[in-house]
Amino acid sequence: MPTADDQDTGRPVATGIREAILSGEFVPNQRLVEADLAERFGASRAAVRAALLELANEGLIERVQNRGARVRAISLEEAIEISELRMVIEGLCAAKAAERVTEDGARLLTEIADDMRAAVASGDVFGYSRLNERLHREIREISGQRTAAEVLERLRAQSVRHQFKLAMHPGRPAVSLPEHLAIIDAIRARDPEAAERAAREHLRSVIRTLPEADRSRPHGNGLAP
């Protein structure tokens, strides 16, 4: 059983493993060997065990009896369930952002919208995906919903491979761009109901596209839809 000290020292290790999963460096079903992780992060085996326990509680890894830990693979059905949950939480964040947005926040969202338009026009799929992730992060920040932001980050980490497939799906940026612009417009207009409605519609679009995108097999790092 990890001690309180182990848990404290295990948090940086958990952060490192989490980031490796999000970046696609650690892939689904990959074994996570305690000795290798301890060497990589310069931590004790006890700290690594505490980190793995934390990530198992988040649903990012799973412990297999007599075989150690591995990155948990998320099925299409579970990815859809995660997106359904995101639809509710991101709708809340968009509504709260519309209530709380400042002039500076509105200008920032406008800049992101302009950059997203330019990325789609130039065919910059990776740049658009990074802007997409930034937009969702900024909306969460403006909303002030820290608990919701933490939950959404965990959900994103769990479904990162499905998010990447969706981001690389042919024509997806052209579909999601007007959805994101609708969210931005509603927040800038300080219309909570319209912002929540637009955020939910975007996630409905994600859910509709996931099965088709799942049949493709792109390669690379995790990106946002």
Side-chain angles (χ1 to χ4, degrees):
M1 177 74 69
T3 66
D5 288 341
D6 293 333
Q7 291 171 349
D8 289 340
T9 56
R11 289 193 180 97
V13 181
T15 298
I17 297 172
R18 189 184 298 109
E19 290 175 352
I21 294 172
L22 280 169
S23 70
E25 182 182 354
F26 292 170
V27 299
N29 293 318
Q30 179 175 335
R31 287 190 63 217
L32 301 175
V33 180
E34 287 185 6
D36 294 343
L37 294 172
E39 181 178 358
R40 170 171 174 153
F41 295 106
S44 68
R45 294 284 288 269
V48 169
R49 283 192 289 272
L52 293 176
L53 178 60
E54 178 180 339
L55 295 172
N57 289 336
E58 292 181 14
L60 292 182
I61 69 166
E62 58 185 351
R63 307 300 295 266
V64 182
Q65 189 172 6
N66 300 323
R67 298 187 64 183
R70 67 185 180 191
V71 180
R72 193 164 74 90
I74 303 297
S75 68
L76 172 62
E77 291 73 17
E78 190 169 358
I80 290 173
E81 289 182 7
I82 288 171
S83 297
E84 290 171 340
L85 182 54
R86 281 183 57 201
M87 182 170 65
V88 176
I89 302 174
E90 297 218 30
L92 168 66
C93 288
K96 290 294 185 181
E99 293 176 358
R100 299 175 178 178
V101 67
T102 63
E103 291 299 326
D104 287 343
R107 279 194 294 271
L108 176 59
L109 295 179
T110 300
E111 291 173 5
I112 295 174
D114 291 342
D115 290 343
M116 292 179 86
R117 289 190 186 94
V120 171
S122 65
D124 183 2
V125 176
F126 288 95
Y128 177 78
S129 186
R130 286 191 292 270
L131 288 165
N132 187 342
E133 182 179 338
R134 182 186 173 198
L135 172 62
H136 285 271
R137 184 174 63 250
E138 293 296 344
I139 291 173
R140 295 196 297 269
E141 183 71 21
I142 293 169
S143 76
Q145 299 292 301
R146 284 185 289 181
T147 301
E150 291 174 1
V151 171
L152 286 170
E153 189 63 19
R154 291 185 183 184
L155 294 175
R156 187 174 79 87
Q158 288 181 24
S159 60
V160 64
R161 301 307 295 176
H162 292 277
Q163 293 172 24
F164 174 67
K165 290 180 179 181
L166 184 61
M168 295 295 102
H169 189 61
R172 178 63 192 170
V175 172
S176 69
L177 176 61
E179 298 169 356
H180 286 117
L181 295 180
I183 300 170
I184 291 171
D185 288 345
I187 293 173
R188 292 176 60 236
R190 295 173 173 78
D191 187 337
E193 291 184 2
E196 181 172 7
R197 186 164 57 248
R200 283 174 170 260
E201 182 51 42
H202 169 56
L203 269 298
R204 288 191 187 94
S205 172
V206 168
I207 292 166
R208 288 194 298 268
T209 311
L210 272 173
E212 185 177 350
D214 189 67
R215 291 193 288 270
S216 65
R217 297 184 180 277
H219 300 282
N221 294 335
L223 298 170

